[in-house]
């Protein structure tokens, strides 16, 4: 299996097993570098929304999705915890695709 097919299979499996709880997600590229950090009230709905063939996605978002090789999750109790953790992760990893909350 080539690496593109392997990547797609890995992402597909991850998307099917996402929890519906609140949390923070990190998108990683082929080098295991965090390229985007986000928070969600419902991780499954939010993360899956990136992978729907939606022409309303910006070119930046479409490019981001092409570069995702893995997804890491942290489930938390509520949205407030998710917001705080997201902010900490953005400061820690300085992901390329996060523009807001860096300061």
């Amino acid at each position: 299996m080539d690496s593109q097919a392997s990547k797609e299979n890995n992402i597909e499996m991850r998307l099917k097993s996402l929890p519906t709880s609140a949390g923070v997600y990190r998108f990683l590229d082929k080098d295991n570098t965090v390229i985007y950090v986000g928070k969600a009230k419902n991780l499954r709905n939010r993360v899956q929304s990136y992978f729907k063939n939606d022409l309303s996605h910006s070119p930046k978002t479409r490019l981001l999705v092409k570069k995702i090789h893995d997804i890491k999750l942290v489930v938390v109790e509520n949205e407030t915890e998710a917001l705080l953790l997201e902010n900490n992760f953005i400061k820690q990893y300085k992901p390329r695709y996060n523009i807001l909350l860096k300061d």
Side-chain angles (χ1 to χ4, degrees):
M1 185 180 335
D2 70 359
S3 66
Q4 181 65 25
S6 174
K7 169 196 159 189
E8 288 172 6
N9 191 33
N10 181 38
I11 296 293
E12 220 172 90
M13 287 175 49
R14 284 258 193 232
L15 293 175
K16 288 179 181 173
S17 64
L18 292 170
T20 56
S21 36
V24 175
Y25 55 93
R26 288 170 286 166
F27 292 152
L28 288 77
D29 66 10
K30 63 180 172 27
D31 300 320
N32 255 4
T33 301
V34 176
I35 57 174
Y36 186 76
V37 175
K39 67 177 177 348
K41 182 171 25 177
N42 180 320
L43 284 165
R44 178 180 296 161
N45 290 348
R46 181 67 186 121
V47 173
Q48 285 181 347
S49 74
Y50 284 96
F51 295 90
K52 292 188 177 8
N53 253 343
D54 190 348
L55 298 176
S56 69
H57 286 319
S58 71
K60 177 183 146 190
T61 301
R62 288 195 292 267
L63 183 60
L64 166 66
V65 171
K66 285 181 184 175
K67 293 183 179 214
I68 298 169
H69 275 254
D70 199 5
I71 302 166
K72 300 287 184 197
L73 305 174
V74 178
V75 174
V76 296
E77 292 292 318
N78 56 52
E79 284 182 87
T80 304
E81 280 186 40
L83 179 64
L84 294 171
L85 184 59
E86 177 195 36
N87 195 11
N88 288 337
F89 278 164
I90 289 170
K91 287 177 181 172
Q92 178 182 348
Y93 295 111
K94 297 176 178 48
R96 177 179 182 181
Y97 287 89
N98 285 91
I99 293 172
L100 305 173
L101 296 175
K102 272 194 178 175
D103 295 326

